[in-house]
Amino acid sequence: MNAAPTNTAPMNTAPMTVLNTADTALPAAARECERIGRTAGLAAGLAAVLVGRDVAAIAPGRYAAVPAAPDTESPGVRRHSLADREGIVFAECQGERPPASTDLAEIGALLAAVRLGVMRHLLDLAVAHLSERDSGGEPLIRKQLVTGAVADVIAGVELLREQALAQRDPVALGDLHTRIDDLGWQTAKLFGASGYIADHPARALYVSALCANTWSGREGAGE
């Protein structure tokens, strides 16, 4: 996808949510993260995941995705044209990177929940889009192949939600995020060609994958 760079990242104006991520509270925290991702967007969800955490101390790689802030023009911040549109930047984390930790596993699980919430929002938009387009005298959403594709995404979201709560191993969480990537591309295809342009809301699926690259247990995370 090609996009013209922008100079100003949109700021997240959603209220800050402080999450209790103790083992017994993680499912509730994940549900809240998914809700925020669905209703307020990727930047608001990422902010909820990272609030109260020392990003520079726990990020697994040299760069970490964070919500845009007033000081995001500093030399230690990388920009991406699509991420700018979602209010996300990539902050440099200097020094030797720490080993995998409980904090990092929690971030991986909660970020997965945010990403699934973003996907559910895009799926809502896709169903509305398909309901407005006709083929052969009936809405596309009534076509068997289209209905099956939507059902596959819904089933995938339900499955990955349960798996995210069950994982604590960073490598396994990295694999989970890769599966969320794949499900995101299935969702983007429901929009047809419009799902692959920078001005379309489906860009959030691509940016969420970039965020996962910096926070998951994937090989080369944050590089």
Side-chain angles (χ1 to χ4, degrees), residues 60-101:
R62 184 179 175 187
Y63 287 91
V66 297
D71 61 350
T72 51
E73 295 298 335
S74 65
V77 171
R78 281 188 175 180
R79 310 293 291 267
H80 184 286
S81 58
L82 295 184
D84 276 351
R85 296 171 186 236
E86 293 299 316
I88 301 290
V89 296
F90 301 90
E92 185 175 13
C93 302
Q94 298 181 350
E96 185 176 350
R97 303 322 305 147
S101 64

PDB file of all heavy atoms in Angstrom, residues 60-101:
ATOM      1  N   PRO A  60      11.071  -5.390  23.507  1.00  0.00           N
ATOM      2  CA  PRO A  60      12.022  -6.447  23.142  1.00  0.00           C
ATOM      3  C   PRO A  60      13.016  -6.048  22.060  1.00  0.00           C
ATOM      4  O   PRO A  60      14.029  -6.725  21.883  1.00  0.00           O
ATOM      5  CB  PRO A  60      11.116  -7.572  22.639  1.00  0.00           C
ATOM      6  CG  PRO A  60       9.905  -6.858  22.115  1.00  0.00           C
ATOM      7  CD  PRO A  60       9.710  -5.678  23.023  1.00  0.00           C
ATOM      8  N   GLY A  61      12.742  -4.972  21.332  1.00  0.00           N
ATOM      9  CA  GLY A  61      13.603  -4.575  20.231  1.00  0.00           C
ATOM     10  C   GLY A  61      14.020  -3.122  20.333  1.00  0.00           C
ATOM     11  O   GLY A  61      13.732  -2.427  21.313  1.00  0.00           O
ATOM     12  N   ARG A  62      14.686  -2.671  19.299  1.00  0.00           N
ATOM     13  CA  ARG A  62      15.224  -1.309  19.316  1.00  0.00           C
ATOM     14  C   ARG A  62      14.128  -0.254  19.220  1.00  0.00           C
ATOM     15  O   ARG A  62      14.278   0.857  19.720  1.00  0.00           O
ATOM     16  CB  ARG A  62      16.212  -1.138  18.151  1.00  0.00           C
ATOM     17  CG  ARG A  62      16.898   0.224  18.132  1.00  0.00           C
ATOM     18  CD  ARG A  62      17.875   0.341  16.986  1.00  0.00           C
ATOM     19  NE  ARG A  62      18.441   1.681  16.905  1.00  0.00           N
ATOM     20  CZ  ARG A  62      19.216   2.112  15.915  1.00  0.00           C
ATOM     21  NH1 ARG A  62      19.531   1.281  14.917  1.00  0.00           N
ATOM     22  NH2 ARG A  62      19.686   3.340  15.915  1.00  0.00           N
ATOM     23  N   TYR A  63      13.020  -0.594  18.554  1.00  0.00           N
ATOM     24  CA  TYR A  63      11.910   0.343  18.420  1.00  0.00           C
ATOM     25  C   TYR A  63      10.633  -0.289  18.951  1.00  0.00           C
ATOM     26  O   TYR A  63      10.423  -1.496  18.815  1.00  0.00           O
ATOM     27  CB  TYR A  63      11.724   0.753  16.958  1.00  0.00           C
ATOM     28  CG  TYR A  63      12.799   1.688  16.453  1.00  0.00           C
ATOM     29  CD1 TYR A  63      13.953   1.185  15.852  1.00  0.00           C
ATOM     30  CD2 TYR A  63      12.675   3.064  16.609  1.00  0.00           C
ATOM     31  CE1 TYR A  63      14.962   2.041  15.416  1.00  0.00           C
ATOM     32  CE2 TYR A  63      13.679   3.927  16.169  1.00  0.00           C
ATOM     33  CZ  TYR A  63      14.809   3.411  15.582  1.00  0.00           C
ATOM     34  OH  TYR A  63      15.805   4.250  15.155  1.00  0.00           O
ATOM     35  N   ALA A  64       9.798   0.548  19.555  1.00  0.00           N
ATOM     36  CA  ALA A  64       8.526   0.080  20.101  1.00  0.00           C
ATOM     37  C   ALA A  64       7.400   0.975  19.620  1.00  0.00           C
ATOM     38  O   ALA A  64       7.519   2.205  19.641  1.00  0.00           O
ATOM     39  CB  ALA A  64       8.570   0.077  21.628  1.00  0.00           C
ATOM     40  N   ALA A  65       6.309   0.373  19.178  1.00  0.00           N
ATOM     41  CA  ALA A  65       5.132   1.135  18.776  1.00  0.00           C
ATOM     42  C   ALA A  65       4.482   1.737  20.011  1.00  0.00           C
ATOM     43  O   ALA A  65       4.254   1.050  21.007  1.00  0.00           O
ATOM     44  CB  ALA A  65       4.137   0.229  18.054  1.00  0.00           C
ATOM     45  N   VAL A  66       4.190   3.037  19.945  1.00  0.00           N
ATOM     46  CA  VAL A  66       3.531   3.747  21.041  1.00  0.00           C
ATOM     47  C   VAL A  66       2.532   4.732  20.440  1.00  0.00           C
ATOM     48  O   VAL A  66       2.654   5.130  19.280  1.00  0.00           O
ATOM     49  CB  VAL A  66       4.546   4.514  21.917  1.00  0.00           C
ATOM     50  CG1 VAL A  66       5.512   3.551  22.599  1.00  0.00           C
ATOM     51  CG2 VAL A  66       5.312   5.547  21.095  1.00  0.00           C
ATOM     52  N   PRO A  67       1.529   5.163  21.224  1.00  0.00           N
ATOM     53  CA  PRO A  67       0.620   6.202  20.726  1.00  0.00           C
ATOM     54  C   PRO A  67       1.371   7.505  20.515  1.00  0.00           C
ATOM     55  O   PRO A  67       2.315   7.822  21.252  1.00  0.00           O
ATOM     56  CB  PRO A  67      -0.420   6.340  21.849  1.00  0.00           C
ATOM     57  CG  PRO A  67      -0.311   5.081  22.640  1.00  0.00           C
ATOM     58  CD  PRO A  67       1.127   4.659  22.549  1.00  0.00           C
ATOM     59  N   ALA A  68       0.978   8.267  19.514  1.00  0.00           N
ATOM     60  CA  ALA A  68       1.613   9.548  19.234  1.00  0.00           C
ATOM     61  C   ALA A  68       1.403  10.501  20.397  1.00  0.00           C
ATOM     62  O   ALA A  68       0.384  10.481  21.079  1.00  0.00           O
ATOM     63  CB  ALA A  68       1.027  10.150  17.954  1.00  0.00           C
ATOM     64  N   ALA A  69       2.411  11.346  20.635  1.00  0.00           N
ATOM     65  CA  ALA A  69       2.370  12.334  21.713  1.00  0.00           C
ATOM     66  C   ALA A  69       2.995  13.626  21.192  1.00  0.00           C
ATOM     67  O   ALA A  69       3.609  13.638  20.117  1.00  0.00           O
ATOM     68  CB  ALA A  69       3.120  11.805  22.935  1.00  0.00           C
ATOM     69  N   PRO A  70       2.876  14.751  21.939  1.00  0.00           N
ATOM     70  CA  PRO A  70       3.404  16.027  21.442  1.00  0.00           C
ATOM     71  C   PRO A  70       4.886  16.023  21.109  1.00  0.00           C
ATOM     72  O   PRO A  70       5.336  16.818  20.290  1.00  0.00           O
ATOM     73  CB  PRO A  70       3.103  16.995  22.601  1.00  0.00           C
ATOM     74  CG  PRO A  70       1.906  16.414  23.263  1.00  0.00           C
ATOM     75  CD  PRO A  70       2.100  14.919  23.180  1.00  0.00           C
ATOM     76  N   ASP A  71       5.675  15.139  21.740  1.00  0.00           N
ATOM     77  CA  ASP A  71       7.123  15.141  21.505  1.00  0.00           C
ATOM     78  C   ASP A  71       7.549  14.127  20.455  1.00  0.00           C
ATOM     79  O   ASP A  71       8.703  13.735  20.381  1.00  0.00           O
ATOM     80  CB  ASP A  71       7.880  14.878  22.802  1.00  0.00           C
ATOM     81  CG  ASP A  71       7.539  13.518  23.404  1.00  0.00           C
ATOM     82  OD1 ASP A  71       6.591  12.879  22.910  1.00  0.00           O
ATOM     83  OD2 ASP A  71       8.223  13.114  24.365  1.00  0.00           O
ATOM     84  N   THR A  72       6.616  13.706  19.592  1.00  0.00           N
ATOM     85  CA  THR A  72       6.952  12.639  18.646  1.00  0.00           C
ATOM     86  C   THR A  72       7.745  13.123  17.438  1.00  0.00           C
ATOM     87  O   THR A  72       7.975  12.365  16.524  1.00  0.00           O
ATOM     88  CB  THR A  72       5.678  11.923  18.162  1.00  0.00           C
ATOM     89  OG1 THR A  72       4.731  12.898  17.695  1.00  0.00           O
ATOM     90  CG2 THR A  72       5.062  11.106  19.273  1.00  0.00           C
ATOM     91  N   GLU A  73       8.175  14.366  17.431  1.00  0.00           N
ATOM     92  CA  GLU A  73       9.075  14.832  16.379  1.00  0.00           C
ATOM     93  C   GLU A  73      10.535  14.712  16.807  1.00  0.00           C
ATOM     94  O   GLU A  73      11.420  15.159  16.103  1.00  0.00           O
ATOM     95  CB  GLU A  73       8.751  16.291  16.021  1.00  0.00           C
ATOM     96  CG  GLU A  73       7.369  16.496  15.405  1.00  0.00           C
ATOM     97  CD  GLU A  73       7.194  15.755  14.087  1.00  0.00           C
ATOM     98  OE1 GLU A  73       8.204  15.484  13.400  1.00  0.00           O
ATOM     99  OE2 GLU A  73       6.051  15.444  13.744  1.00  0.00           O
ATOM    100  N   SER A  74      10.809  14.137  17.966  1.00  0.00           N
ATOM    101  CA  SER A  74      12.169  14.026  18.471  1.00  0.00           C
ATOM    102  C   SER A  74      12.981  13.059  17.613  1.00  0.00           C
ATOM    103  O   SER A  74      12.424  12.194  16.930  1.00  0.00           O
ATOM    104  CB  SER A  74      12.150  13.551  19.925  1.00  0.00           C
ATOM    105  OG  SER A  74      11.636  12.239  20.006  1.00  0.00           O
ATOM    106  N   PRO A  75      14.323  13.178  17.633  1.00  0.00           N
ATOM    107  CA  PRO A  75      15.169  12.322  16.787  1.00  0.00           C
ATOM    108  C   PRO A  75      14.996  10.831  17.051  1.00  0.00           C
ATOM    109  O   PRO A  75      15.254  10.009  16.185  1.00  0.00           O
ATOM    110  CB  PRO A  75      16.590  12.786  17.136  1.00  0.00           C
ATOM    111  CG  PRO A  75      16.425  14.173  17.666  1.00  0.00           C
ATOM    112  CD  PRO A  75      15.107  14.175  18.379  1.00  0.00           C
ATOM    113  N   GLY A  76      14.599  10.443  18.258  1.00  0.00           N
ATOM    114  CA  GLY A  76      14.477   9.030  18.593  1.00  0.00           C
ATOM    115  C   GLY A  76      13.151   8.411  18.204  1.00  0.00           C
ATOM    116  O   GLY A  76      12.827   7.318  18.672  1.00  0.00           O
ATOM    117  N   VAL A  77      12.394   9.086  17.342  1.00  0.00           N
ATOM    118  CA  VAL A  77      11.080   8.581  16.940  1.00  0.00           C
ATOM    119  C   VAL A  77      11.055   8.372  15.434  1.00  0.00           C
ATOM    120  O   VAL A  77      11.450   9.243  14.669  1.00  0.00           O
ATOM    121  CB  VAL A  77       9.957   9.556  17.351  1.00  0.00           C
ATOM    122  CG1 VAL A  77       8.622   9.137  16.750  1.00  0.00           C
ATOM    123  CG2 VAL A  77       9.838   9.617  18.863  1.00  0.00           C
ATOM    124  N   ARG A  78      10.605   7.187  15.035  1.00  0.00           N
ATOM    125  CA  ARG A  78      10.410   6.901  13.613  1.00  0.00           C
ATOM    126  C   ARG A  78       8.942   7.039  13.259  1.00  0.00           C
ATOM    127  O   ARG A  78       8.067   6.708  14.054  1.00  0.00           O
ATOM    128  CB  ARG A  78      10.885   5.484  13.280  1.00  0.00           C
ATOM    129  CG  ARG A  78      12.383   5.356  13.127  1.00  0.00           C
ATOM    130  CD  ARG A  78      12.746   3.979  12.599  1.00  0.00           C
ATOM    131  NE  ARG A  78      14.173   3.875  12.346  1.00  0.00           N
ATOM    132  CZ  ARG A  78      14.760   2.778  11.871  1.00  0.00           C
ATOM    133  NH1 ARG A  78      14.022   1.695  11.614  1.00  0.00           N
ATOM    134  NH2 ARG A  78      16.059   2.748  11.660  1.00  0.00           N
ATOM    135  N   ARG A  79       8.701   7.537  12.051  1.00  0.00           N
ATOM    136  CA  ARG A  79       7.332   7.710  11.581  1.00  0.00           C
ATOM    137  C   ARG A  79       7.080   6.769  10.401  1.00  0.00           C
ATOM    138  O   ARG A  79       7.996   6.323   9.711  1.00  0.00           O
ATOM    139  CB  ARG A  79       7.105   9.163  11.122  1.00  0.00           C
ATOM    140  CG  ARG A  79       7.547  10.216  12.119  1.00  0.00           C
ATOM    141  CD  ARG A  79       6.692  10.199  13.361  1.00  0.00           C
ATOM    142  NE  ARG A  79       5.338  10.664  13.095  1.00  0.00           N
ATOM    143  CZ  ARG A  79       4.960  11.943  13.248  1.00  0.00           C
ATOM    144  NH1 ARG A  79       5.827  12.845  13.674  1.00  0.00           N
ATOM    145  NH2 ARG A  79       3.711  12.304  13.011  1.00  0.00           N
ATOM    146  N   HIS A  80       5.815   6.462  10.187  1.00  0.00           N
ATOM    147  CA  HIS A  80       5.374   5.661   9.044  1.00  0.00           C
ATOM    148  C   HIS A  80       4.095   6.300   8.546  1.00  0.00           C
ATOM    149  O   HIS A  80       3.219   6.662   9.350  1.00  0.00           O
ATOM    150  CB  HIS A  80       5.129   4.214   9.486  1.00  0.00           C
ATOM    151  CG  HIS A  80       4.769   3.277   8.378  1.00  0.00           C
ATOM    152  ND1 HIS A  80       3.526   3.271   7.771  1.00  0.00           N
ATOM    153  CD2 HIS A  80       5.491   2.304   7.758  1.00  0.00           C
ATOM    154  CE1 HIS A  80       3.494   2.347   6.832  1.00  0.00           C
ATOM    155  NE2 HIS A  80       4.674   1.741   6.812  1.00  0.00           N
ATOM    156  N   SER A  81       3.966   6.469   7.237  1.00  0.00           N
ATOM    157  CA  SER A  81       2.841   7.246   6.704  1.00  0.00           C
ATOM    158  C   SER A  81       1.485   6.675   7.108  1.00  0.00           C
ATOM    159  O   SER A  81       0.560   7.424   7.439  1.00  0.00           O
ATOM    160  CB  SER A  81       2.941   7.338   5.175  1.00  0.00           C
ATOM    161  OG  SER A  81       2.962   6.054   4.579  1.00  0.00           O
ATOM    162  N   LEU A  82       1.332   5.354   7.103  1.00  0.00           N
ATOM    163  CA  LEU A  82       0.063   4.759   7.502  1.00  0.00           C
ATOM    164  C   LEU A  82      -0.119   4.818   9.009  1.00  0.00           C
ATOM    165  O   LEU A  82      -1.220   5.072   9.513  1.00  0.00           O
ATOM    166  CB  LEU A  82      -0.042   3.318   7.012  1.00  0.00           C
ATOM    167  CG  LEU A  82      -0.089   3.107   5.504  1.00  0.00           C
ATOM    168  CD1 LEU A  82      -0.283   1.631   5.186  1.00  0.00           C
ATOM    169  CD2 LEU A  82      -1.197   3.925   4.865  1.00  0.00           C
ATOM    170  N   ALA A  83       0.959   4.574   9.763  1.00  0.00           N
ATOM    171  CA  ALA A  83       0.877   4.638  11.217  1.00  0.00           C
ATOM    172  C   ALA A  83       0.522   6.043  11.681  1.00  0.00           C
ATOM    173  O   ALA A  83      -0.211   6.216  12.664  1.00  0.00           O
ATOM    174  CB  ALA A  83       2.190   4.180  11.843  1.00  0.00           C
ATOM    175  N   ASP A  84       1.034   7.057  10.985  1.00  0.00           N
ATOM    176  CA  ASP A  84       0.675   8.439  11.306  1.00  0.00           C
ATOM    177  C   ASP A  84      -0.841   8.625  11.305  1.00  0.00           C
ATOM    178  O   ASP A  84      -1.404   9.291  12.175  1.00  0.00           O
ATOM    179  CB  ASP A  84       1.279   9.400  10.288  1.00  0.00           C
ATOM    180  CG  ASP A  84       2.712   9.786  10.611  1.00  0.00           C
ATOM    181  OD1 ASP A  84       3.191   9.445  11.713  1.00  0.00           O
ATOM    182  OD2 ASP A  84       3.352  10.426   9.767  1.00  0.00           O
ATOM    183  N   ARG A  85      -1.496   8.029  10.335  1.00  0.00           N
ATOM    184  CA  ARG A  85      -2.946   8.193  10.199  1.00  0.00           C
ATOM    185  C   ARG A  85      -3.714   7.486  11.303  1.00  0.00           C
ATOM    186  O   ARG A  85      -4.882   7.777  11.542  1.00  0.00           O
ATOM    187  CB  ARG A  85      -3.398   7.673   8.836  1.00  0.00           C
ATOM    188  CG  ARG A  85      -2.808   8.471   7.674  1.00  0.00           C
ATOM    189  CD  ARG A  85      -3.107   7.793   6.342  1.00  0.00           C
ATOM    190  NE  ARG A  85      -2.421   8.480   5.248  1.00  0.00           N
ATOM    191  CZ  ARG A  85      -3.027   8.970   4.177  1.00  0.00           C
ATOM    192  NH1 ARG A  85      -4.332   8.862   4.053  1.00  0.00           N
ATOM    193  NH2 ARG A  85      -2.335   9.575   3.227  1.00  0.00           N
ATOM    194  N   GLU A  86      -3.055   6.539  11.968  1.00  0.00           N
ATOM    195  CA  GLU A  86      -3.676   5.826  13.082  1.00  0.00           C
ATOM    196  C   GLU A  86      -3.209   6.348  14.444  1.00  0.00           C
ATOM    197  O   GLU A  86      -3.600   5.816  15.481  1.00  0.00           O
ATOM    198  CB  GLU A  86      -3.382   4.327  12.976  1.00  0.00           C
ATOM    199  CG  GLU A  86      -4.044   3.651  11.796  1.00  0.00           C
ATOM    200  CD  GLU A  86      -5.560   3.737  11.863  1.00  0.00           C
ATOM    201  OE1 GLU A  86      -6.127   3.520  12.957  1.00  0.00           O
ATOM    202  OE2 GLU A  86      -6.182   4.041  10.821  1.00  0.00           O
ATOM    203  N   GLY A  87      -2.369   7.393  14.435  1.00  0.00           N
ATOM    204  CA  GLY A  87      -1.896   7.945  15.705  1.00  0.00           C
ATOM    205  C   GLY A  87      -0.847   7.101  16.388  1.00  0.00           C
ATOM    206  O   GLY A  87      -0.749   7.093  17.621  1.00  0.00           O
ATOM    207  N   ILE A  88      -0.034   6.388  15.608  1.00  0.00           N
ATOM    208  CA  ILE A  88       1.002   5.496  16.152  1.00  0.00           C
ATOM    209  C   ILE A  88       2.371   5.943  15.636  1.00  0.00           C
ATOM    210  O   ILE A  88       2.527   6.279  14.456  1.00  0.00           O
ATOM    211  CB  ILE A  88       0.762   4.036  15.718  1.00  0.00           C
ATOM    212  CG1 ILE A  88      -0.598   3.538  16.200  1.00  0.00           C
ATOM    213  CG2 ILE A  88       1.891   3.131  16.207  1.00  0.00           C
ATOM    214  CD1 ILE A  88      -0.718   3.333  17.680  1.00  0.00           C
ATOM    215  N   VAL A  89       3.361   5.946  16.523  1.00  0.00           N
ATOM    216  CA  VAL A  89       4.745   6.196  16.127  1.00  0.00           C
ATOM    217  C   VAL A  89       5.620   5.097  16.724  1.00  0.00           C
ATOM    218  O   VAL A  89       5.153   4.276  17.526  1.00  0.00           O
ATOM    219  CB  VAL A  89       5.235   7.590  16.593  1.00  0.00           C
ATOM    220  CG1 VAL A  89       4.445   8.698  15.909  1.00  0.00           C
ATOM    221  CG2 VAL A  89       5.149   7.716  18.109  1.00  0.00           C
ATOM    222  N   PHE A  90       6.907   5.100  16.367  1.00  0.00           N
ATOM    223  CA  PHE A  90       7.821   4.049  16.809  1.00  0.00           C
ATOM    224  C   PHE A  90       8.996   4.702  17.540  1.00  0.00           C
ATOM    225  O   PHE A  90       9.818   5.382  16.938  1.00  0.00           O
ATOM    226  CB  PHE A  90       8.280   3.220  15.608  1.00  0.00           C
ATOM    227  CG  PHE A  90       7.117   2.594  14.889  1.00  0.00           C
ATOM    228  CD1 PHE A  90       6.494   3.259  13.851  1.00  0.00           C
ATOM    229  CD2 PHE A  90       6.603   1.375  15.294  1.00  0.00           C
ATOM    230  CE1 PHE A  90       5.388   2.717  13.216  1.00  0.00           C
ATOM    231  CE2 PHE A  90       5.501   0.822  14.672  1.00  0.00           C
ATOM    232  CZ  PHE A  90       4.891   1.496  13.626  1.00  0.00           C
ATOM    233  N   ALA A  91       9.018   4.502  18.855  1.00  0.00           N
ATOM    234  CA  ALA A  91      10.009   5.143  19.715  1.00  0.00           C
ATOM    235  C   ALA A  91      11.256   4.274  19.845  1.00  0.00           C
ATOM    236  O   ALA A  91      11.157   3.057  20.035  1.00  0.00           O
ATOM    237  CB  ALA A  91       9.410   5.392  21.104  1.00  0.00           C
ATOM    238  N   GLU A  92      12.416   4.917  19.753  1.00  0.00           N
ATOM    239  CA  GLU A  92      13.673   4.189  19.903  1.00  0.00           C
ATOM    240  C   GLU A  92      13.899   3.827  21.368  1.00  0.00           C
ATOM    241  O   GLU A  92      13.684   4.640  22.270  1.00  0.00           O
ATOM    242  CB  GLU A  92      14.834   5.037  19.394  1.00  0.00           C
ATOM    243  CG  GLU A  92      16.168   4.295  19.403  1.00  0.00           C
ATOM    244  CD  GLU A  92      17.283   5.099  18.786  1.00  0.00           C
ATOM    245  OE1 GLU A  92      17.098   6.321  18.578  1.00  0.00           O
ATOM    246  OE2 GLU A  92      18.339   4.507  18.509  1.00  0.00           O
ATOM    247  N   CYS A  93      14.332   2.596  21.600  1.00  0.00           N
ATOM    248  CA  CYS A  93      14.635   2.110  22.946  1.00  0.00           C
ATOM    249  C   CYS A  93      16.123   1.767  22.990  1.00  0.00           C
ATOM    250  O   CYS A  93      16.547   0.749  22.445  1.00  0.00           O
ATOM    251  CB  CYS A  93      13.791   0.890  23.283  1.00  0.00           C
ATOM    252  SG  CYS A  93      12.010   1.173  23.170  1.00  0.00           S
ATOM    253  N   GLN A  94      16.906   2.609  23.593  1.00  0.00           N
ATOM    254  CA  GLN A  94      18.352   2.449  23.564  1.00  0.00           C
ATOM    255  C   GLN A  94      18.829   1.447  24.606  1.00  0.00           C
ATOM    256  O   GLN A  94      18.131   1.133  25.571  1.00  0.00           O
ATOM    257  CB  GLN A  94      19.019   3.803  23.779  1.00  0.00           C
ATOM    258  CG  GLN A  94      18.683   4.820  22.694  1.00  0.00           C
ATOM    259  CD  GLN A  94      19.380   6.150  22.914  1.00  0.00           C
ATOM    260  OE1 GLN A  94      19.972   6.400  23.959  1.00  0.00           O
ATOM    261  NE2 GLN A  94      19.317   7.017  21.910  1.00  0.00           N
ATOM    262  N   GLY A  95      20.032   0.964  24.385  1.00  0.00           N
ATOM    263  CA  GLY A  95      20.650   0.052  25.337  1.00  0.00           C
ATOM    264  C   GLY A  95      20.347  -1.405  25.026  1.00  0.00           C
ATOM    265  O   GLY A  95      19.584  -1.732  24.122  1.00  0.00           O
ATOM    266  N   GLU A  96      20.965  -2.280  25.816  1.00  0.00           N
ATOM    267  CA  GLU A  96      20.752  -3.716  25.633  1.00  0.00           C
ATOM    268  C   GLU A  96      19.311  -4.062  25.962  1.00  0.00           C
ATOM    269  O   GLU A  96      18.741  -3.597  26.940  1.00  0.00           O
ATOM    270  CB  GLU A  96      21.706  -4.499  26.547  1.00  0.00           C
ATOM    271  CG  GLU A  96      21.646  -5.998  26.348  1.00  0.00           C
ATOM    272  CD  GLU A  96      22.669  -6.716  27.199  1.00  0.00           C
ATOM    273  OE1 GLU A  96      23.535  -6.031  27.792  1.00  0.00           O
ATOM    274  OE2 GLU A  96      22.607  -7.963  27.275  1.00  0.00           O
ATOM    275  N   ARG A  97      18.712  -4.889  25.109  1.00  0.00           N
ATOM    276  CA  ARG A  97      17.300  -5.214  25.313  1.00  0.00           C
ATOM    277  C   ARG A  97      17.151  -6.303  26.371  1.00  0.00           C
ATOM    278  O   ARG A  97      17.981  -7.210  26.468  1.00  0.00           O
ATOM    279  CB  ARG A  97      16.642  -5.670  24.006  1.00  0.00           C
ATOM    280  CG  ARG A  97      16.724  -4.680  22.863  1.00  0.00           C
ATOM    281  CD  ARG A  97      16.562  -3.227  23.275  1.00  0.00           C
ATOM    282  NE  ARG A  97      15.334  -2.981  24.016  1.00  0.00           N
ATOM    283  CZ  ARG A  97      15.243  -2.061  24.989  1.00  0.00           C
ATOM    284  NH1 ARG A  97      16.278  -1.341  25.358  1.00  0.00           N
ATOM    285  NH2 ARG A  97      14.096  -1.891  25.610  1.00  0.00           N
ATOM    286  N   PRO A  98      16.110  -6.219  27.178  1.00  0.00           N
ATOM    287  CA  PRO A  98      15.940  -7.164  28.287  1.00  0.00           C
ATOM    288  C   PRO A  98      15.452  -8.525  27.802  1.00  0.00           C
ATOM    289  O   PRO A  98      14.920  -8.652  26.695  1.00  0.00           O
ATOM    290  CB  PRO A  98      14.855  -6.483  29.141  1.00  0.00           C
ATOM    291  CG  PRO A  98      14.037  -5.729  28.128  1.00  0.00           C
ATOM    292  CD  PRO A  98      15.036  -5.227  27.108  1.00  0.00           C
ATOM    293  N   PRO A  99      15.608  -9.564  28.625  1.00  0.00           N
ATOM    294  CA  PRO A  99      15.046 -10.871  28.277  1.00  0.00           C
ATOM    295  C   PRO A  99      13.528 -10.832  28.386  1.00  0.00           C
ATOM    296  O   PRO A  99      12.947  -9.892  28.933  1.00  0.00           O
ATOM    297  CB  PRO A  99      15.647 -11.808  29.332  1.00  0.00           C
ATOM    298  CG  PRO A  99      15.930 -10.909  30.502  1.00  0.00           C
ATOM    299  CD  PRO A  99      16.322  -9.584  29.912  1.00  0.00           C
ATOM    300  N   ALA A 100      12.885 -11.857  27.846  1.00  0.00           N
ATOM    301  CA  ALA A 100      11.427 -11.950  27.924  1.00  0.00           C
ATOM    302  C   ALA A 100      10.984 -11.903  29.378  1.00  0.00           C
ATOM    303  O   ALA A 100      11.631 -12.455  30.261  1.00  0.00           O
ATOM    304  CB  ALA A 100      10.953 -13.232  27.264  1.00  0.00           C
ATOM    305  N   SER A 101       9.860 -11.224  29.623  1.00  0.00           N
ATOM    306  CA  SER A 101       9.383 -11.035  30.986  1.00  0.00           C
ATOM    307  C   SER A 101       7.876 -11.256  31.051  1.00  0.00           C
ATOM    308  O   SER A 101       7.191 -11.363  30.032  1.00  0.00           O
ATOM    309  CB  SER A 101       9.707  -9.616  31.454  1.00  0.00           C
ATOM    310  OG  SER A 101       8.991  -8.670  30.655  1.00  0.00           O
TER     311      SER A 101
END
